[in-house]
Amino acid sequence: SRSCCPSFRCAAMECRQSLLLVGLLAMVGCAHGFFRGDPVQTFKRMQFQGKRTMWSDVLVGQGPLYAVDRSVELNYPYNDIAASDTLKMQLAYDHEKFSSEWITVSDGNGNHLDVLTVELVYSGNEIHEIRHKYRYKQVEPHEPHPDRITVEYHWISEADTDTRMGLDFLFAAGCCVTVLVVFVTSSDNGDLSAKRAIVVPEYENPEARKPKIKKFLLFDKESEATGGRVIGDNDTESIVTNAEEEGLRARKVEERPSDAKKGE
């Protein structure tokens, strides 16, 4: 028992250390997560005349706030660039985990970026995907590059997307099941209606609670439209009568030999 105690204590210590490590990792994960209204760190850089600037911070008032839809004006003072030059911009979010492609702000031919829509897909306290949409306006080619654009931040909850996909899947599955049930039912009805028996009761006493069925007829479906072709006719009364007559005949045959012996 003494030899088992040290090993048991070592296992307990290892278990405590692993639990402590898991707790610390969970705390670190929560510390790096976002809460509603927290500013998301955003950077921007420009490209013009074959040159690129360094990354620079976007002001909190111009960047996205976690899970908050809003519209802001993003400034980039580059009025000294010739109107015929192409001006592009790139954005990065959440410590450069997500970045956009090079966005054309002005193509030098009078097409200026008017509204930039940023769609941020999130769940819980994490961002999963960022998409960009553009809307341009046409101006005179000689007009200088704009120094600001309108940016619309739109947050999309991934739970809403999953719910919509789940409802679509259930709807499609329900349609498939309904079609399958209709198909199976129609095939079964076709097999059963090929030859079916129709019971036509004839009541001896209509006022009786349990009337006696005297006859039933068997019809063929192929000629059902023309009134039905009788392929079987069974009369219960005739069956009973025939059975009684055969019994009487058998008794008479048995009685005849005995009568002959008595006569002898």
Side-chain angles (χ1 to χ4, degrees), residues 8-254:
F8 178 77
R9 292 177 180 176
C10 293
M13 292 179 63
E14 292 178 357
C15 183
R16 291 177 182 176
Q17 292 177 357
S18 60
L19 291 175
L20 182 60
L21 180 60
V22 170
L24 290 175
L25 291 176
M27 293 175 63
V28 171
C30 293
H32 285 83
F34 290 99
F35 293 95
R36 179 178 176 82
D38 287 348
V40 180
Q41 190 176 25
T42 308
F43 302 98
K44 71 174 184 298
R45 61 177 179 174
M46 310 301 294
Q47 175 179 303
F48 57 94
Q49 297 177 352
K51 300 178 182 179
R52 294 181 179 177
T53 64
M54 300 293 293
W55 287 106
S56 61
D57 292 324
V58 174
L59 300 177
V60 175
Q62 300 177 5
L65 300 180
Y66 191 79
V68 176
D69 293 344
R70 66 171 183 166
S71 178
V72 299
E73 287 189 348
L74 179 62
N75 298 326
Y76 51 93
Y78 286 94
N79 293 326
D80 54 345
I81 303 174
S84 59
D85 292 338
T86 301
L87 178 63
K88 295 185 178 182
M89 176 180 61
Q90 188 178 23
L91 298 172
Y93 310 88
D94 193 10
H95 304 281
E96 301 184 23
K97 291 181 181 179
F98 307 94
S99 60
S100 68
E101 67 278 5
W102 282 101
I103 304 169
T104 301
V105 178
S106 177
D107 61 354
N109 296 320
N111 293 317
H112 291 181
L113 181 62
D114 186 26
V115 178
L116 173 62
T117 303
V118 183
E119 295 181 347
L120 303 99
V121 182
Y122 74 103
S123 66
N125 56 359
E126 295 181 355
I127 301 174
H128 299 289
E129 184 183 1
I130 297 179
R131 301 186 293 261
H132 298 82
K133 296 181 179 180
Y134 322 106
R135 189 172 67 196
Y136 289 87
K137 65 179 179 180
Q138 182 69 35
V139 298
E140 295 296 331
H142 62 273
E143 288 190 11
H145 296 288
D147 60 351
R148 66 189 64 190
I149 58 172
T150 301
V151 181
E152 296 178 350
Y153 297 107
H154 179 55
W155 291 83
I156 302 174
S157 176
E158 198 171 36
D160 298 340
T161 305
D162 294 340
T163 302
R164 190 180 300 107
M165 292 178 63
L167 292 175
D168 294 340
F169 174 77
L170 290 176
F171 177 75
C175 292
C176 294
V177 172
T178 303
V179 172
L180 181 61
V181 170
V182 171
F183 176 76
V184 173
T185 305
S186 61
S187 62
D188 291 344
N189 289 337
D191 296 338
L192 293 175
S193 61
K195 288 185 178 180
R196 60 184 180 182
I198 301 177
V199 177
V200 182
E202 296 179 2
Y203 304 128
E204 289 184 347
N205 185 8
E207 297 179 355
R209 295 184 178 179
K210 297 181 179 179
K212 181 179 179 180
I213 296 176
K214 297 175 60 179
K215 182 186 293 186
F216 69 89
L217 302 177
L218 185 62
F219 286 88
D220 189 359
K221 183 179 183 299
E222 295 179 356
S223 58
E224 185 178 356
T226 61
R229 178 174 61 87
V230 178
I231 61 175
D233 188 356
N234 191 3
D235 193 342
T236 55
E237 285 186 347
S238 62
I239 292 174
V240 174
T241 305
N242 294 335
E244 291 177 353
E245 290 178 357
E246 290 179 358
L248 293 174
R249 290 176 183 175
R251 290 178 184 176
K252 289 179 180 180
V253 171
E254 293 177 355

